[in-house]
Amino acid sequence: QHAVQNGVHYVLVGGGGGALDTFCAGDWPFFDFTVDSHGYSVMDVNGPTLSWSSYDHNDALLHSFVITH
């Protein structure tokens, strides 16, 4: 899940290999992006730029964003 509020990025990522939740977090209007899927995320910081990419278990890109300060 990903949200931006007042210039602050919020990222909620589950993990640990457990089962997917049975409730739909997408009903929360706070989040701009939500997906229920097994996968992984990669965060890269290069100088003033942070890049975030989330992929499903087949390595397909689900969501990404870039923050430059």
Side-chain angles (χ1 to χ4, degrees), residues 1 22-31 33-34 36:
Q1 293 171 309
T22 57
F23 65 92
C24 179
D27 291 338
W28 300 348
F30 177 78
F31 290 104
F33 172 80
T34 246
D36 293 325

Side-chain angles (χ1 to χ4, degrees), residues 7 45-50 66-69:
V45 178
N46 186 2
T49 303
L50 179 147
V66 175
I67 303 170
T68 302
H69 180 53

Side-chain angles (χ1 to χ4, degrees), residues 51-62:
S51 301
W52 182 281
S53 299
S54 295
Y55 301 88
D56 70 10
H57 64 283
N58 292 315
D59 299 327
L61 180 65
L62 297 171

Side-chain angles (χ1 to χ4, degrees), residues 2-11 30-33 65 67:
H2 177 225
V4 180
Q5 297 289 318
N6 299 319
V8 177
H9 287 257
Y10 297 87
V11 178
F30 177 78
F31 290 104
D32 303 317
F33 172 80
F65 63 90
I67 303 170

